[in-house]
């Protein structure tokens, strides 16, 4: 059994980790921390866990967390980087679901997140936790940076094209749409039901924090620089991301369907749909699956990849557990067999 | 392993049975029938099942179904009653998720469902599948009538009060609200997103088919006749039923909280919330749990019981599997451990 | 032209007043105040008003408001009562959309709203602004207490029955369902899209502030004391209230349909539907109409009245303008001719 | 007063025409036809019209319609083209909200709509009803082809760029998202609330009927051929279209904000938002406004135009009335002053 702790268990990624971990056959939950809720039963805050979890929230102390084999950080950006070095020193592995360890360049981090990085040395050893790219590195890692939700959907959509160098990498467009849970559980006017339902809008057009993360990943795959326009949108639903990825193919004779199927043939959580299909976000709701389809409309140069995930699962908690499984020598898919909830 | 068949696998209760059964450790799915879709892969119609189920839809023939140990009917009303006697004769057990075997009185069936009952003899041996009332009978049954969604929520709300005879049984009110999936997957104008979202309405005020079913159940529990006003409403969401049950207490000194907790203390799928609480339907989404709270506002005579279920799980497919588990000698909760999906 | 001011123009009742008033042919908007947004253009906060309103928010000073003929308070409870006496002294009429002047008994106000009333003398002259009951008094009033949203829907549903004394007034039940906009535009976790959509729940079962307001109104109509159980519920949509009103008829021979039609025959904003109908909340979305239907299921004693309004219009801003029209000698329906938005 | 008829008044564009026309001060509604509902009161089908419209549905006969000055066709594709020549011969003007007269090339029509065009001669005189492009022609027209919803949003987004020839017209991408009402009011599984809510998907990626319509319009504006990738998506809400339009600017020194503001400065129904803004679809709900914003992210070559409309108003019924106003010599904005409904 892996002894697991969660720091910051009150947000949506926290409760989603709990939903998945309480049923994970190889995990023992030993600590769920929340400074604001310490002492309260977790299931009082999240009644869906009544009968599944008896733990109370506890204080996020080093002492409390050092008893764990692995700790998940489901905290706001900037929290994990202050605690991770101490945990590593105690022999505790870490998966950070926030952005602290995602950008390899500390200057880029400071620019996009507005604060200096607190542990640049540790940053160097952090592995970017996209198993479809870094599986072997993740197995050896002590600290894994769990990818953002948009970056997961967009990278999995572009990877086969960029790895093969068959599209113009200077001119990529990712038009991405997210459900509202991506904005978290903080009280804010913009995500009230009366503001966000029955409406659709773009946001962060001038520059979203996931842009440098996506670019970094795509450039590694392409092994060259990449030009990316990334426009995120808010769509009136709870869960789900749909990325529509546009690029210009350099050679129209390539069989894109076969390319995608071959690239992901051994991946347990990537499903390439048949030619002509269009995945719905609900077809992955509650599951760790990324579902893809590839099109070249009217036989032209433009390749359109449709990529859907559940932002809270493959885009956060599920992928974090996939990483934990790899880091702890478990079956990669353990505890992640949920069938999507439909309708 | 129990060999299981599903007749009518294309509706919402059908796909929900599939979602739960593909992960059930003691079940082997051998046939999913659909006259209209025979030959097509089930997962083509329901992409959430891609990777979980390789079966195609097959024809609903006796031959096809006779190989099963147990068959679920997830068909429109009036279908099961024509096939059940033959299946029983072949030694196949049946759980009918439609209404064919719910009303013990064939005249009442004919009146409310507009057709004569096709197998009155078999009707006599059918057990009403509410485990919280009929657990021992279900274990012995060959044919179980799975309760309707409203009847499950309303009966579990009223039962403790009626069994103890502490409310005026002549004047019960059940104001019930259902998500739209209760109306099924048939193409119809009334349940289009543009008709049913952003709106709320009552329907069937003059008389809904679940009224005689609820009355029948309540009268058995009360051991007397019952006067019930039942008003169902459509609420703009996919899953969930919320029943608000009103009755007049005869003796204000009774401790209702304790009464409810004691009544359901051993029930694996009924959760009585603490005093003062109000259950949300989302707290049971995707799970087989019925969550209850009991109130007596302002210390008056009116008892208000709040009862929530997921209409597709405890109100249909989940309860059907709970019945199957009982009928087949399995652990009653096997395959029904899903944590509700929240948010 | 009536010179109009709005105090507290940033909430949902404020922006709804603006939506209606910018098109009102007899109104000149001279001040929209907001302490927090003073100086900013109103249309910057509410882009739906771009091109319709050039005013900036201003400070809520007496000087600023004294130039108005009539001022609407769309403020939190407890604000209006501190400013109203000064405005009346300046000859300004007031419609308060909050609760400050709704309860005639200052002790009841203190009990339910948790603060002493600041102007008990003025309270005495305030008229409860339900035109269907108090039309003549409203025409003479200087200060009108605009009814709450639930109280409007519930009272219009029960009034014909209580005025005629034909139901048991000791045992009324109002099971009411509201869209989320009733909770206002404050940032709060409970009304986030991810918390309030795809779910249904009761709240305030132990006692909601609208209970004493409804009781006060019903007792005046019944001319006797009234026993009322009031259970509000939150339903996942933006606008709309549906009240399902239960009572026990004392004489089954009365023609309820005719009673309701006669009671409201001259009311411009109450529509009694034909026998057997069930109004949808969306059928009044964006309009000042209350739509009713009356049923006596199975010919029993229980009368069920279905009553729907748009909580932001007939339940707030529209009724406030209806009151303004009456107070200022205008056509009662002026500026309130909007056709409901459907779908 | 203009005497107006509506053929096919039972769909969403039909009821939206009615919502707007019953309040239009210069219109007298003389016929609303529906073969299936003839004889029934229109307000029985659409309760939002109770009290606003007393007309029953009538048969769509020439005799019935010849008394009109202008007839709107809110019918399925292929209906109008069979009746229009006879109506024109009777001196009746026509606005067709379907696609029959949108494509100037009858072969293209046959290819995309699967039937030969029934009145190629009349097609030649039909004017494409986008007032921002064809205002003067519309004023003289007897028959106007009302643009599709996607084509309206996408063309208004690209026009200023193409008219000035400042983007690469060979490589345009329109990623468009529509609410579900765009699919109409026909009973169909795909637009049930349980299928279309809480999900997001692309559709018609291989080729959507609005593609040739958009291309035709853009090529006229660009005065050259155009390469367009058009990917429509279904978003879980009732009303609204959001088009995100991507193109590559040829000269980065051009002031795009000024270009857009100047292009639309005199347009009554196009609102260019300030630099950096992002329009929400709800900011135009129920109104005839198209709201635009233009971005050039990170100062790169890619121009991103955000364009929102209410698909049932500026994308259908509202624009049709705007065209009627022009054709009949009325003020272009008459009857179209609705303030968007928000929230």
């Amino acid at each position: 059994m892996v002894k697991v702790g969660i720091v910051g268990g009150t947000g949506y990624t926290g409760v989603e980790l709990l939903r998945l971990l309480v049923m994970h056959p190889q995990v023992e939950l030993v600590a769920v921390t929340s400074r604001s809720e310490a002492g309260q039963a977790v299931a009082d805050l999240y009644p869906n866990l009544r009968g599944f979890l008896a733990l109370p929230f506890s204080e996020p102390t080093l002492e409390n967390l050092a008893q764990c084999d692995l700790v998940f950080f489901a905290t706001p950006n900037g929290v994990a980087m202050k605690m991770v070095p101490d945990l590593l020193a105690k022999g505790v592995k870490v998966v950070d679901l926030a952005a602290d360890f995602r950008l390899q360049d500390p200057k880029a981090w400071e620019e996009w997140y507005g604060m200096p990085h607190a542990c640049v040395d540790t940053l160097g050893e952090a592995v970017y936790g996209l198993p479809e790219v870094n599986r072997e590195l993740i197995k050896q890692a002590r600290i894994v940076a769990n990818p953002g939700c948009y970056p997961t959907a967009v990278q999995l959509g572009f990877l086969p094209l960029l790895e093969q160098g068959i599209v113009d990498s200077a001119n990529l467009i990712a038009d991405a749409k997210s459900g509202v849970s991506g904005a978290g559980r903080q009280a804010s006017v913009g995500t009230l039901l009366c503001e966000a339902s029955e409406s659709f809008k773009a946001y962060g057009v001038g520059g979203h924090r996931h842009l440098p993360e996506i670019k970094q990943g795509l450039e590694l795959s392409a092994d060259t620089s990449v030009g990316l326009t990334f426009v995120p949108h808010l769509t009136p639903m709870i869960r789900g991301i749909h990325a529509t990825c546009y690029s210009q193919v350099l050679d129209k004779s390539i069989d894109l369907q076969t390319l995608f199927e071959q690239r992901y043939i051994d991946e347990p959580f990537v499903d390439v749909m048949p030619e002509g299909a269009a995945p719905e976000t609900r077809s992955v709701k509650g599951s760790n699956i990324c579902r893809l389809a590839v099109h070249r409309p009217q036989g032209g140069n433009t390749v359109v990849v449709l990529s859907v995930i559940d932002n809270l699962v493959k885009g956060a908690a599920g992928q974090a557990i996939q990483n934990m499984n790899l880091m702890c020598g478990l079956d990669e898919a353990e505890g992640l067999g949920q069938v999507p909830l439909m309708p």
Side-chain angles (χ1 to χ4, degrees), chain A:
Chain A
M1 298 293 276
V2 180
K3 291 183 180 175
V4 165
I6 298 175
V7 182
T10 63
Y12 290 144
T13 51
V15 67
E16 188 69 354
L17 278 169
L18 289 168
R19 178 178 75 91
L20 299 171
L21 290 173
V22 296
M23 301 305 287
H24 193 297
Q26 303 292 332
V27 162
E28 181 192 355
L29 269 169
V30 297
V32 183
T33 79
S34 163
R35 201 156 263 143
S36 61
E37 308 287 341
Q40 192 189 6
V42 174
D44 285 357
L45 191 65
Y46 287 116
N48 65 322
L49 297 173
R50 283 174 63 91
F52 294 96
L53 182 67
L55 272 185
F57 288 108
S58 55
E59 292 284 346
T61 60
L62 183 60
E63 188 182 21
N64 207 343
L65 297 167
Q67 55 179 323
C68 301
D69 298 312
L70 185 144
V71 166
F72 294 101
F73 279 85
T75 43
N77 297 319
V79 174
M81 64 185 183
K82 290 176 192 145
M83 299 176 70
V84 164
D86 286 347
L87 285 169
L88 295 181
K90 294 276 186 185
V92 180
K93 295 177 179 177
V94 172
V95 177
D96 179 25
L97 285 83
D100 299 17
F101 297 91
R102 290 183 193 157
L103 300 184
Q104 281 298 310
D105 177 358
K107 280 185 194 158
W109 205 87
E110 186 165 348
E111 178 189 341
W112 285 93
Y113 291 90
M115 47 184 145
H117 203 283
C119 60
V120 173
D121 292 350
T122 309
L123 183 58
E125 84 164 278
V127 175
Y128 189 70
L130 195 62
E132 292 78 8
V133 174
N134 287 334
R135 182 168 285 111
E136 296 311 315
L137 290 172
I138 295 164
K139 287 181 183 171
Q140 312 302 327
R142 297 194 304 165
I143 161 79
V144 162
N146 208 57
C149 48
Y150 286 125
T152 297
V154 173
Q155 289 179 78
L156 292 176
F158 275 130
L159 283 188
L161 302 170
L162 291 174
E163 288 171 351
Q164 298 299 321
I166 60 170
V167 294
D168 175 8
S169 65
N171 186 16
L172 307 176
I173 292 173
D175 187 290
K177 302 87 176 171
S178 175
V180 183
S181 61
R185 195 172 165 270
Q186 299 76 31
S188 88
V189 170
T191 51
L192 294 177
L193 182 141
C194 294
E195 301 289 307
S197 74
E198 288 297 307
S199 193
F200 188 93
K201 67 168 179 183
Y203 67 102
V205 184
H208 184 284
R209 286 170 171 182
H210 284 175
L211 174 64
E213 180 184 342
I214 300 172
K215 260 191 84 166
Q216 170 185 281
L218 296 183
E219 293 186 336
L220 280 169
S221 295
D223 203 17
T224 181
S225 71
V226 149
L228 172 69
T229 300
F230 170 56
V231 181
H233 302 73
L234 195 65
T235 186
M237 59 189 191
I238 298 174
R239 287 171 180 247
I241 280 184
H242 186 292
T244 312
C245 304
Y246 301 90
S247 57
Q248 303 301 314
V249 78
L250 302 173
D251 173 356
K252 292 208 270 186
S253 70
I254 290 166
D255 179 346
L256 296 170
Q257 182 70 23
T258 300
L259 173 69
F260 272 71
E261 289 178 1
Q262 288 302 316
R263 173 60 179 84
Y264 292 122
I265 195 166
D266 291 327
E267 286 300 334
F269 294 114
V270 182
D271 176 35
V272 179
M273 297 195 81
E275 211 150 356
E280 303 175 273
T281 60
R282 67 179 185 138
S283 79
V284 298
K285 188 165 59 180
S287 89
N288 199 46
I289 299 164
C290 173
R291 195 155 271 148
L292 299 171
V294 57
H295 294 254
R296 198 155 54 75
Q298 290 92 50
N301 294 315
T302 306
V303 183
V304 181
V305 184
L306 312 172
S307 172
V308 303
I309 59 170
D310 183 325
N311 57 303
L312 295 180
V313 192
K314 184 62 176 170
Q319 187 147 266
I321 292 169
Q322 189 179 355
N323 281 317
M324 174 199 76
N325 288 340
L326 290 167
M327 294 163 81
C328 297
L330 305 175
D331 177 344
E332 183 174 346
E334 191 79 88
L336 295 171
Q338 295 78 17
V339 186
L341 192 72
M342 182 166 145

